[in-house]
Amino acid sequence: MGFDDVLPVLGDFGKYQKRIYFLLCLPAITSAFHKLGNVFLLAEPQYRCRRPDEPADSLYDLSTSELEKWYPFDSLQRTFSSCEIWSGNATTTCSEFIYKHDDYGFTTTIEWNLTCEKAYLIATCNSMFMVGVMLGSIIFGETSDRWGRKMTFLVASVMQVLFGVLAAFAPEFWTFAVSRMILGAAASGVFLVAYVMGLEMVGPSKRLIAGTVVFIFFSGGYVLIALLAKLLPNWRHLQLALSLPGVVFLFYWWFIPESVRWLLSKNKVEEAKLVIQKCAKVNGVTISDAKLDELLKKGDENKTKDDSQITASVLDLFKHSNLRKRSLIIFFDWCANNITYYGLSWNTNNLGGNPYLNFVISGAVETPANIFTLLTLNRWGRKKILCGSMIVAGSALLLTIATPLNWVWLIITLAMIGKISITVSYGTVYIFSAEQFPTVVRNAGLGASSTFARLGSIMAPYINVMARIWQPFPLLVFGVLAFTGGVLSLLLPETLNKKLPETLAEGEAFGKKSKNVPLKSVQVLELPVLANETEESPSDALLLTEAQKAAQLES
């Protein structure tokens, strides 16, 4: 785009860009609110069957003798049953419960009795939310290219607030679940567009940092959820607190400019020039109209060759043995990373100990993980980081199986090692896989990878609910998937300092020593936004240059 020729004159990350970039990082906080707030909104407290003639407001705790009198012992869970009660010499299931409010206050689980045979509804609600996230990535990714980033951001922001508030006043479970699903789509759109706009306005030399800092904001929002949940024990108040900050983004219409790249792609040159001149004024730079026209025209001439490039479909990846093998490994890695990342994030309540502290630690470890990825990806190589982090994550999670259940501190420590490692892996898999696919099928390959990732996050809640049967089960599954993905990734070729494949033939040969060419022959390649990419990793954030300085990370 011609804007790439203008940026060196404006400054890659001048005062104007910094101001706008900060505002565009704030939606990452509310994205964390909505994606992870369900840990407390749908939290399942301790409960037991309500005894005959027992007042509904009775305390949960009973003496051991009373427990033995009324409840059968569950040898699998090593405690008294929560779903059955003695009725004479036989046991019977119950529909009324006494809850322990000390840990989570008043949650949706308590209000709608999402317990015992209804416990699957908790997982269903979480899965529906992730279905919404997937649909939002597709719909708002498409509309942002058609309507513009600014209009799409406004529409998604309105929907985010509207359905967030509606969920807070839901009279029954399915209204809440559907509202949360639409909220997931809207939150996905808000984050997607803000992320893309933030990266489209900075130069290649700053794109790596800009693409990583936004996820530090995400981690900040992650940690804030625990504080809000502790202060607001009623789930309706918490849902409102997580939703109302989105009102701020409605005012962005008057403060955030339309993306210059999008304006130029739609031939709205005069509007683009107004934004550029405003940026130049704030940055203390003077650009004459003649000079600006010259730079924009130069950019149009430079991109004519790319416009005629032949593309291919994702099916072409499976017509060649080497590409097929690599593609299947990449698809598995995306699914494994997604299912493990969200599974661990949503599983903190099952680890034992203080659930709020577990959640805070789980969010806080993401910041050093993102910084580690930022500092090492271009030094150690993508393959070492991806394989190493997935194997470490898998090993740590598998070790929890051999840890006694009463060693809660060790289980939590191993789970957090797994979380920080999978965060590093999550950030690496995006750029590594983008560099594996040939140019002619790169977008299709990333789109397919994103679909597998979404499938992983949709399945994660159902894996977590299996902790009701055997508590270590979720960590076992996550550990096996992460470890397997790390080992399989050893078969992928390193891409750092390698010429990236352009055609299917080059993609098939990629990884063979005789075919590798030094990076100095690589041309600048910018990837357009994917309509069905995940909201956290729009592919136009990946700008591959000679020094890989613009390699975009994602956590």
Side-chain angles (χ1 to χ4, degrees):
M1 298 291 291
F3 191 54
D4 287 325
D5 296 291
V6 177
L7 271 173
V9 180
L10 289 176
D12 277 4
F13 202 38
K15 182 178 179 180
Y16 183 80
Q17 290 104 311
K18 291 177 181 176
R19 180 190 304 169
I20 301 300
Y21 176 77
F22 172 77
L23 293 176
L24 292 173
C25 281
L26 297 181
I29 298 176
T30 57
S31 175
F33 282 179
H34 297 306
K35 295 185 70 176
L36 299 166
N38 53 0
V39 171
F40 297 103
L41 294 169
L42 291 159
E44 186 177 27
Q46 291 178 278
Y47 58 91
R48 59 176 174 82
C49 291
R50 181 181 172 188
R51 295 172 294 171
D53 301 324
E54 184 178 19
D57 59 351
S58 297
L59 296 177
Y60 167 82
D61 294 315
L62 292 176
S63 65
T64 303
S65 60
E66 282 294 302
L67 290 172
E68 291 175 343
K69 177 181 177 181
W70 289 101
Y71 305 103
F73 189 80
D74 187 338
S75 58
L76 188 62
Q77 295 291 332
R78 300 180 183 180
T79 187
F80 291 97
S81 175
S82 298
C83 300
E84 294 182 331
I85 190 170
W86 286 113
S87 179
N89 294 326
T91 60
T92 181
T93 58
C94 49
S95 57
E96 295 184 85
F97 303 90
I98 300 297
Y99 294 93
K100 185 175 183 179
H101 297 271
D102 297 355
D103 290 335
Y104 305 110
F106 187 73
T107 69
T108 55
T109 301
I110 296 175
E111 180 162 344
W112 295 315
N113 284 332
L114 306 180
T115 58
C116 299
E117 71 276 3
K118 291 184 179 180
Y120 74 95
L121 291 175
I122 297 175
T124 298
C125 186
N126 287 331
S127 290
M128 287 176 64
F129 180 88
M130 295 312 297
V131 169
V133 169
M134 179 172 66
L135 294 176
S137 299
I138 298 171
I139 295 170
F140 290 110
E142 178 69 20
T143 56
S144 68
D145 284 339
R146 292 179 179 272
W147 301 349
R149 319 300 197 218
K150 193 172 177 179
M151 177 59 73
T152 300
F153 183 86
L154 177 64
V155 171
S157 296
V158 171
M159 291 179 60
Q160 181 177 249
V161 174
L162 180 63
F163 285 94
V165 173
L166 180 60
F169 291 97
E172 41 77 39
F173 171 77
W174 289 109
T175 301
F176 174 78
V178 172
S179 298
R180 286 274 303 168
M181 182 175 70
I182 300 174
L183 173 60
S188 172
V190 170
F191 187 94
L192 168 69
V193 178
Y195 190 94
V196 170
M197 291 178 72
L199 290 173
E200 284 182 336
M201 64 189 300
V202 302
S205 66
K206 302 297 182 182
R207 196 165 282 128
L208 177 61
I209 297 176
T212 303
V213 168
V214 66
F215 295 107
I216 296 177
F217 280 79
F218 184 90
S219 299
Y222 195 141
V223 172
L224 280 174
I225 296 171
L227 175 61
L228 291 173
K230 192 66 175 177
L231 294 175
L232 302 170
N234 187 298
W235 74 267
R236 294 185 184 275
H237 300 158
L238 177 60
Q239 176 63 41
L240 279 175
L242 299 176
S243 302
L244 292 180
V247 173
V248 173
F249 306 138
L250 304 181
F251 297 94
Y252 274 26
W253 180 264
W254 292 278
F255 296 100
I256 303 295
E258 180 57 89
S259 167
V260 173
R261 294 180 187 276
W262 182 82
L263 290 171
L264 292 175
S265 72
K266 298 299 181 181
N267 293 319
K268 298 184 178 184
V269 179
E270 293 304 316
E271 293 181 42
K273 289 168 66 175
L274 289 176
V275 177
I276 293 172
Q277 290 292 7
K278 183 177 181 179
C279 178
K281 181 178 179 181
V282 175
N283 288 353
V285 176
T286 302
I287 306 179
S288 65
D289 286 341
K291 179 64 175 177
L292 185 55
D293 289 336
E294 177 186 346
L295 293 173
L296 294 177
K297 183 178 179 181
K298 179 181 176 182
D300 286 337
E301 293 173 350
N302 289 339
K303 70 175 181 179
T304 53
K305 294 182 180 180
D306 292 334
D307 291 341
S308 62
Q309 187 168 355
I310 299 174
T311 59
S313 73
V314 70
L315 295 178
D316 291 300
L317 291 171
F318 296 92
K319 296 178 180 178
H320 309 275
S321 60
N322 193 26
L323 273 175
R324 180 169 58 248
K325 178 188 71 176
R326 298 209 317 269
S327 298
L328 290 174
I329 293 173
I330 289 169
F331 295 158
F332 181 85
D333 282 349
W334 279 61
C335 183
N337 273 276
N338 217 265
I339 200 171
T340 304
Y341 176 83
Y342 285 108
L344 288 175
S345 298
W346 293 335
N347 194 50
T348 52
N349 292 344
N350 294 326
L351 296 178
N354 188 315
Y356 295 93
L357 180 60
N358 293 347
F359 191 84
V360 168
I361 296 173
S362 180
V365 298
E366 292 195 2
T367 296
N370 285 322
I371 295 174
F372 173 83
T373 312
L374 176 66
L375 296 177
T376 60
L377 197 62
N378 288 341
R379 296 181 181 181
W380 297 357
R382 288 81 161 102
K383 184 175 178 177
K384 291 180 181 178
I385 300 298
L386 180 66
C387 296
S389 57
M390 291 190 77
I391 289 174
V392 169
S395 300
L397 296 176
L398 289 174
L399 283 174
T400 61
I401 309 302
T403 305
L405 291 178
N406 59 337
W407 291 20
V408 176
W409 66 271
L410 183 55
I411 293 176
I412 294 174
T413 299
L414 291 171
M416 292 307 123
I417 292 174
K419 178 64 186 298
I420 194 171
S421 300
I422 207 65
T423 302
V424 172
S425 171
Y426 205 155
T428 305
V429 72
Y430 287 99
I431 183 170
F432 193 37
S433 54
E435 294 170 339
Q436 295 283 338
F437 294 121
T439 300
V440 294
V441 74
R442 184 168 286 121
N443 277 355
L446 286 174
S449 300
S450 173
T451 300
F452 278 91
R454 291 300 111 205
L455 292 176
S457 58
I458 290 170
M459 290 188 294
Y462 290 103
I463 295 175
N464 278 338
V465 81
M466 295 301 291
R468 295 173 54 84
I469 300 175
W470 186 42
Q471 186 174 341
F473 182 81
L475 297 183
L476 172 63
V477 174
F478 303 147
V480 169
L481 289 174
F483 190 88
T484 303
V487 172
L488 288 176
S489 297
L490 293 172
L491 301 176
L492 298 174
E494 177 58 76
T495 57
L496 181 64
N497 296 332
K498 299 293 190 297
K499 181 183 182 299
L500 301 182
E502 299 284 345
T503 65
L504 289 172
E506 291 179 0
E508 178 66 12
F510 188 64
K512 299 177 182 179
K513 293 183 179 181
S514 59
K515 297 295 182 180
N516 288 341
V517 181
L519 185 62
K520 62 183 180 181
S521 62
V522 177
Q523 299 298 316
V524 173
L525 171 63
E526 186 170 0
L527 305 177
V529 68
L530 283 177
N532 63 338
E533 184 57 274
T534 66
E535 77 286 356
E536 297 163 350
S537 59
S539 57
D540 65 332
L542 301 172
L543 188 66
L544 309 178
T545 67
E546 289 187 354
Q548 293 293 337
K549 291 180 180 178
Q552 174 54 40
L553 303 180
E554 167 39 93
S555 64

